[in-house]
Amino acid sequence: ENALNDRLVRKGLPNLVKVAITFQNQLDLFKTAKNSEAIQFVEAKATDQKQTVVLIMGESCNRNHMQLYGAARKTTPLLSQREDLIVFDNVVSSYSNTISSVLTSLSASALDNNIPLSASTDIMDVFASAGYSTYWVSNQSPIGVWENMVTVFARKAAHPVFVNLSSSNSMESTQMKSYDELLFKPTEKMLQSDDSLQFIVIHMMGNHSAFKNRYPTD
């Protein structure tokens, strides 16, 4: 997929070489992520007897188009009305691609340390160690070179749910309709659970790729 779209590898190489290099790189990264699939228990303790923490991850979102960050259009009218938001305006992503950004933002592995992903403590480890029931509900395709590593990470949750099964791989899924509203029902079901401590990750499709495939007309 990356070779076809001239991503990540040198453009001067023949396509066969590009495919081979891309495949090997993704295989190595997948093996690294696979090693970290099991929960690593750490010292962590819940401070409340009953609590639900929800982490929402968008995709392909540019803060320069958000009213919260000074954009002229009123693109975040409801968020802008809230008085309980902490808006971080001095943060940049470690990487420009989804896989690396997601995995490093949720783990101790980062650009400024030498901790490999397989040895890194991550957010799932912390919440599971603190006694939270962990959930991951995703509108991303669970299959494909763009999602293999993130899917392995998602499966560290005790209850992973994937609602986008309309395509055969992650590249194809960006060309098809799979509205993020599909995440509502499984999330509501999770919130109705009897678990006193819950950590829920909601992974949206976001703005990938054509607007007409991301938002219904209504």
Side-chain angles (χ1 to χ4, degrees):
E1 294 175 20
N2 285 327
L4 289 173
N5 292 280
D6 291 325
R7 295 187 183 94
L8 306 182
V9 290
R10 294 177 63 89
K11 295 183 179 181
L13 294 174
N15 278 339
L16 181 60
V17 178
K18 289 182 182 181
V19 171
I21 292 174
T22 301
F23 178 80
Q24 187 59 51
N25 288 342
Q26 290 298 327
L27 184 61
D28 291 342
L29 290 171
F30 183 76
K31 288 179 179 178
T32 299
K34 190 70 174 176
N35 291 334
S36 61
E37 187 174 6
I39 291 292
Q40 301 181 57
F41 287 96
V42 297
E43 280 194 35
K45 186 178 181 180
T47 56
D48 297 294
Q49 292 185 340
K50 185 174 180 62
Q51 186 181 53
T52 297
V53 178
V54 180
L55 172 64
I56 302 174
M57 293 196 299
E59 284 276 346
S60 188
C61 182
N62 188 332
R63 69 179 184 183
N64 293 327
H65 296 162
M66 297 178 70
Q67 180 185 358
L68 280 175
Y69 290 94
R73 291 194 179 107
K74 295 182 179 181
T75 55
T76 56
L78 299 180
L79 289 175
S80 298
Q81 292 175 13
R82 298 186 69 98
E83 298 180 355
D84 57 351
L85 286 184
I86 299 175
V87 181
F88 294 94
D89 57 5
N90 61 344
V91 180
V92 295
S93 177
S94 297
Y95 297 90
S96 61
N97 63 82
T98 299
I99 298 174
S100 300
S101 296
V102 169
L103 296 176
T104 54
S105 65
L106 301 182
S107 72
S109 179
L111 287 173
D112 57 355
N113 62 43
N114 295 317
I115 304 176
L117 184 63
S118 58
S120 172
T121 301
D122 58 57
I123 197 167
M124 286 297 178
D125 297 327
V126 174
F127 275 95
S129 298
Y132 284 74
S133 294
T134 55
Y135 299 80
W136 187 296
V137 55
S138 175
N139 190 26
Q140 296 283 328
S141 171
I143 304 169
V145 297
W146 297 342
E147 294 304 326
N148 277 342
M149 291 183 65
V150 178
T151 297
V152 171
F153 190 92
R155 291 192 181 282
K156 291 187 71 171
H159 309 281
V161 176
F162 296 92
V163 300
N164 188 349
L165 303 176
S166 61
S167 56
S168 60
N169 60 68
S170 53
M171 182 175 73
E172 183 180 305
S173 69
T174 64
Q175 310 301 322
M176 303 180 69
K177 292 181 180 179
S178 186
Y179 300 141
D180 280 327
E181 62 188 40
L182 291 174
L183 297 168
F184 287 156
K185 285 187 178 180
T187 301
E188 289 173 353
K189 186 176 180 180
M190 293 172 183
L191 291 171
Q192 293 169 1
S193 168
D194 294 330
D195 297 326
S196 57
L197 296 172
Q198 289 182 296
F199 175 57
I200 303 172
V201 178
I202 301 175
H203 195 183
M204 301 163 59
M205 177 67 81
N207 296 338
H208 286 309
S209 173
F211 187 89
K212 65 180 181 180
N213 290 336
R214 301 283 77 87
Y215 302 96
T217 54
D218 58 356

